């Protein structure tokens, strides 16, 4: 349930393995974050590899390090037409204070054989064509895709492998029946399945008790300028990497379709109403790229991501035959694809391990007040970001 990267890659894996698979989505494949994200394919999890090794084990670190490889190999293998570019991911810093942390992260991945390197201020200026970066590191495993085209390509591949996909199909109830789990739909239709995968991330509703309250659905907002003129296109991100900055409340950017400069970041908890709700990321764009900021803005849009308390995704299996994966904390193009793959493989054969230990569903206390406390937390992070040098 949920036709984003998690659900679609799980469905594809299961259908290819011979299972009989039905995917349902409230709207259509790619409607959620998967069809409207920034298209940055970034390997890794929030924790650094040494921590992952210590807390979860080396298999989880290897899984995290391989997520971007999986996306590009799926695109290759399935022939998905979605503008894949493997220009690397740069984590850029405007704060000297952050550099030792970035250097340590880079060294930990390098020790595990990843193609990574530090960039000094001159290297950053050359790689980004932007202002104000004091350093950063590049991870050449990363890159970009056109997210909606990637999601639709996965849906097409799942169909070809034998899965069925139903759009306009919101599951509104789930109950144990005689022949398996019975899903009820808003239309009155019913469906029975041995195994149900709930892959609804930031769009999770009240279907399964407590699940919605395990994540904070935050708006991620995104803008894209009018196409850049040739001179700026040659100067800005010439190697076509994707970039995030290292602040707690990060901005991320890349050159997108038609040579537009795209920038994304955290939005308010309510849905954006007008251009004023995008002012903060447009100010960030102007600070890094003042010339590009003089162009008219071509597009502004938003979507929902799922934040968790520990900034890590979670897999739950609260009952035999029901698996859920969510909580990508705004970075799920590579991770959600890889989680979908791992869950599909595990359901086909329990000997295939899941990449993270199963966790219990733990609703956050006073979850209904999340717009208040999460806004306060984000503002506190912004202040800390501002105070750091
Ligand atoms: C604006 C924006 C920019 C982002 N940029 C990046 C980026 O550059 N790089 C990156 O790695 N990540 C990025 N992300 C995050 C990334 O897009 C998500 O982590 C990822 O797409 C999550 O995939 P998913 O399949 O788990 O969920 P989603 O793609 O959100 O899919 C969930 C689906 O579940 C469906 N659904 C919900 N409830 C039901 C129900 N009851 N019945 C049926 N269907 C249901 C919804 O309709 C939806 O289609 C961004 C997100 C946003 C919003």
């Amino acid at each position: 349930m949920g036709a984003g990267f998690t659900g679609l890659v799980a469905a594809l894996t299961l259908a290819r393995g011979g299972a009989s698979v039905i995917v349902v989505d409230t709207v259509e494949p790619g409607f959620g974050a998967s069809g409207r994200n920034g298209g940055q394919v970034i390997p890794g999890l929030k924790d650094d590899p040494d921590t992952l090794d210590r807390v979860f084990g080396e298999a989880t670190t290897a899984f995290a390090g391989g997520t971007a490889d999986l996306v590009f190999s799926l695109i290759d293998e399935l022939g998905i037409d979605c503008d894949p570019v493997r220009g690397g991911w740069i984590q850029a810093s405007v704060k000297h204070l952050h550099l030792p942390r970035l250097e340590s992260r880079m060294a930990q991945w390098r020790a595990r054989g990843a193609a990574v390197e530090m960039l000094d201020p001159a290297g950053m200026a050359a790689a980004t064509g932007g202002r104000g970066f004091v350093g950063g590191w590049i991870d050449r495993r990363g890159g970009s895709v056109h997210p909606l085209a990637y999601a639709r390509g996965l849906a097409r591949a799942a169909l070809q492998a034998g899965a069925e996909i139903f759009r306009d199909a919101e599951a509104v109830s789930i109950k144990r029946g005689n022949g398996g789990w019975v899903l009820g739909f808003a239309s009155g239709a019913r469906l029975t399945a041995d195994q149900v995968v709930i892959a609804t991330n930031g769009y999770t509703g009240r279907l399964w008790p407590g699940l919605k309250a395990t994540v904070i659905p935050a708006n991620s907002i995104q803008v894209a300028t009018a196409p850049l003129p040739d001179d700026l296109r040659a100067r800005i991100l010439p190697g076509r990497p994707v970039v995030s900055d290292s602040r707690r409340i990060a901005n991320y950017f890349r050159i997108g379709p038609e040579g537009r400069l795209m920038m994304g970041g955290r939005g308010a908890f309510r849905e954006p109403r007008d251009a004023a709700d995008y002012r903060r990321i447009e100010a960030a764009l102007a600070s890094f790229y003042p010339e590009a900021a003089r162009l008219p803005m071509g597009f502004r849009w938003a979507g929902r991501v799922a934040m968790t308390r520990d900034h890590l995704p979670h897999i739950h299996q609260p009952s035999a035959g029901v698996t859920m994966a969510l909580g990508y904390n705004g970075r799920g193009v590579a991770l959600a694809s890889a989680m979908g793959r791992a869950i599909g493989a595990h359901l086909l054969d329990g000997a295939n391990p899941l990449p993270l230990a199963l966790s219990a569903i733990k609703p956050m206390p006073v979850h209904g007040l999340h717009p208040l406390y999460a806004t306060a937390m984000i503002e506190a992070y912004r202040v800390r970001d501002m105070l750091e040098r």
Side-chain angles (χ1 to χ4, degrees):
M1 174 191 319
F5 300 141
T6 311
L8 289 169
V9 180
L12 171 68
T13 309
L14 284 160
R16 284 174 139 191
S20 157
V21 182
I22 294 181
V23 183
V24 295
D25 197 283
T26 302
V27 185
E28 62 176 302
F31 164 78
S34 297
R36 47 173 107 199
N37 59 71
Q40 300 205 358
V41 183
I42 305 173
L45 280 163
K46 169 234 156 202
D47 288 330
D48 290 343
D50 287 354
T51 311
L52 291 175
D53 274 3
R54 203 173 51 248
V55 179
F56 301 101
E58 286 177 18
T60 298
T61 315
F63 165 83
T67 57
D69 292 344
L70 172 74
V71 170
F72 290 107
S73 69
L74 274 175
I75 291 169
D76 237 24
E77 184 195 332
L78 301 168
I80 299 178
D81 183 8
C82 61
D83 304 332
V85 178
R86 208 145 190 199
W89 168 57
I90 295 177
Q91 192 172 28
S93 188
V94 292
K95 309 274 183 186
H96 288 282
L97 193 70
H98 293 184
L99 292 178
R101 176 164 51 88
L102 302 193
E103 184 136 23
S104 157
R105 180 169 300 158
M106 186 281 306
Q108 292 177 38
W109 280 120
R110 177 177 280 171
R112 289 162 176 84
V116 293
E117 68 196 85
M118 284 311 279
L119 296 169
D120 62 12
M124 282 299 295
T128 65
R131 288 194 187 171
F133 300 115
V134 296
W137 67 290
I138 182 162
D139 184 335
R140 298 196 187 278
R141 296 170 296 183
S144 59
V145 295
H146 185 300
L148 184 58
Y150 172 51
R152 288 183 173 161
L154 290 172
R156 213 167 291 124
L159 288 172
Q160 278 161 5
E164 291 180 83
I165 301 180
F166 289 88
R167 50 170 299 163
D168 302 317
E170 180 184 7
V172 293
S173 65
I174 178 166
K175 289 196 183 85
R176 219 185 206 320
N178 286 337
W181 289 97
V182 183
L183 291 177
F185 292 87
S187 64
R190 279 145 68 98
L191 192 65
T192 303
D194 299 335
Q195 296 283 343
V196 177
V197 176
I198 300 182
T200 49
N201 205 45
Y203 294 81
T204 299
R206 303 202 178 280
L207 190 71
W208 191 274
L211 185 64
K212 183 182 166 83
T214 63
V215 294
I216 292 183
N219 270 318
S220 204
I221 57 177
Q222 187 79 54
V223 296
T225 64
L228 301 178
D230 288 346
D231 62 324
L232 287 187
R233 232 181 261 203
R235 256 187 294 142
I236 297 181
L237 304 167
R240 297 294 178 255
V242 300
V243 186
S244 337
D245 81 47
S246 61
R247 283 174 283 202
R248 291 173 187 82
I249 305 301
N251 296 299
Y252 49 92
F253 46 96
R254 72 173 174 108
I255 300 292
E258 299 158 337
R260 299 168 189 275
L261 179 59
M262 295 169 61
M263 172 111 22
R266 184 66 56 244
F269 281 92
R270 59 169 174 73
E271 296 304 309
R273 284 191 284 254
D274 54 31
D277 287 322
Y278 295 82
R279 213 172 313 166
R280 216 190 287 256
I281 51 169
E282 288 174 28
L285 188 145
S287 75
F288 298 136
Y289 297 106
E291 289 162 291
R294 283 184 214 116
L295 294 169
M297 203 46 79
F299 296 97
R300 298 181 176 95
W301 72 96
R304 268 185 253 151
V305 298
M307 313 303 288
T308 54
R309 274 174 292 202
D310 57 6
H311 308 285
L312 289 167
H314 286 258
I315 308 178
H316 310 295
Q317 270 179 345
S319 221
V322 182
T323 306
M324 307 152 177
L326 74 173
Y328 301 112
N329 292 275
R331 207 195 269 179
V333 175
L335 188 55
S337 301
M339 287 280 260
R341 161 67 75 98
I343 286 169
H346 180 73
L347 295 182
L348 284 172
D349 179 352
N352 292 318
L354 289 168
L356 292 168
L358 293 173
S359 58
I361 293 180
K362 282 196 204 128
M364 294 182 203
V366 289
H367 184 260
L369 296 181
H370 75 74
L372 293 179
Y373 64 70
T375 304
M377 219 168 68
I378 285 173
E379 288 311 321
Y381 280 152
R382 280 205 171 102
V383 171
R384 283 176 70 188
D385 281 340
M386 250 160 41
L387 294 176
E388 279 172 1
R389 300 186 63 79

